[in-house]
């Protein structure tokens, strides 16, 4: 009997690395059906839709997840990561948000503003952990 091979779903994802006063905005994911990303920390962002540029996707995702407008700057890194059930290519962009925390937590449990040295204190998703490594 031949072993059935299933192709994992692949998504292109954008992440907003939002900085303010030498601190990074870290968001805690909600519960997920995948334990390995459930309630882990990430940079905000999401999937790029068909026909959408990275810039457009980031603006849309931050509005949908946080009801916040950001300025999207230069790309600071791209990584490929394979999770047990899916794979992603993540492009991270340095972004700037408003001067106050006037965003809403529409799809996250919580947030923290941390310095580069403090980022290691959090339990990050594996993909975001790899992004942090590329930022060094």
């Amino acid at each position: 009997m031949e072993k059935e091979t299933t192709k994992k779903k692949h998504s292109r994802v954008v992440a907003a690395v939002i900085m303010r006063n030498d601190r990074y905005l870290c968001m805690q994911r909600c519960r997920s059906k995948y334990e390995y990303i459930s309630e882990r920390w990430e940079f905000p962002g999401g999937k790029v839709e068909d026909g959408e540029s990275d810039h457009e996707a980031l603006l849309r995702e931050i509005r949908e997840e946080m009801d916040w407008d950001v300025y999207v700057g230069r790309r600071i890194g791209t990584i490929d990561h394979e999770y047990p059930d899916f794979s992603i290519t993540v492009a991270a962009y340095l972004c700037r948000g408003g001067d106050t925390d006037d965003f809403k937590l529409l799809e996250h449990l919580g947030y923290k503003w941390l310095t580069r040295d403090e980022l290691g204190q959090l339990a990050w998703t594996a993909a975001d952990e790899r992004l942090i490594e590329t930022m060094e």
Side-chain angles (χ1 to χ4, degrees):
M1 196 163 143
E2 286 185 37
K3 188 176 182 181
E4 189 177 312
T5 58
T6 57
K7 188 173 177 172
K8 290 182 184 178
K9 181 176 167 85
H10 180 83
S11 298
R12 179 159 175 79
V13 175
V14 286
V17 179
I18 301 170
M19 286 192 71
R20 184 172 73 211
N21 301 328
D22 295 327
R23 294 185 179 271
Y24 295 89
L25 180 60
C26 312
M27 306 297 289
Q28 187 177 25
R29 294 177 60 92
C30 287
R31 280 209 170 93
S32 168
K33 67 180 179 178
Y34 304 119
E35 188 218 318
Y36 47 85
I37 59 173
S38 185
E39 298 183 19
R40 298 266 179 166
W41 291 83
E42 67 178 359
F43 295 113
K47 292 180 186 168
V48 178
E49 304 286 339
D50 288 338
E52 197 174 41
S53 71
D54 285 2
H55 183 269
E56 292 166 330
L58 259 182
L59 292 176
R60 176 186 52 75
E61 284 287 343
I62 300 303
R63 268 189 228 112
E64 287 176 4
E65 292 183 359
M66 303 167 69
D67 192 22
W68 205 34
D69 288 318
V70 295
Y71 167 79
V72 180
R74 67 180 173 84
R75 186 169 61 195
I76 58 173
T78 303
I79 59 112
D80 291 303
H81 189 77
E82 202 159 308
Y83 285 105
D85 301 284
F86 59 93
S87 65
I88 57 175
T89 298
V90 183
Y93 290 83
L94 191 59
C95 297
R96 190 176 62 239
D99 289 335
T100 60
D101 294 346
D102 60 352
F103 55 82
K104 298 175 181 135
L105 296 177
L106 302 174
E107 294 193 23
H108 290 93
L109 294 175
Y111 73 96
K112 293 183 180 194
W113 288 97
L114 298 178
T115 65
R116 174 70 183 89
D117 291 340
E118 294 170 327
L119 295 179
Q121 298 171 3
L122 302 178
W124 291 88
T125 65
D128 284 81
E129 201 168 71
R130 290 190 52 212
L131 271 177
I132 292 168
E133 291 169 7
T134 69
M135 293 165 35
E136 294 181 318

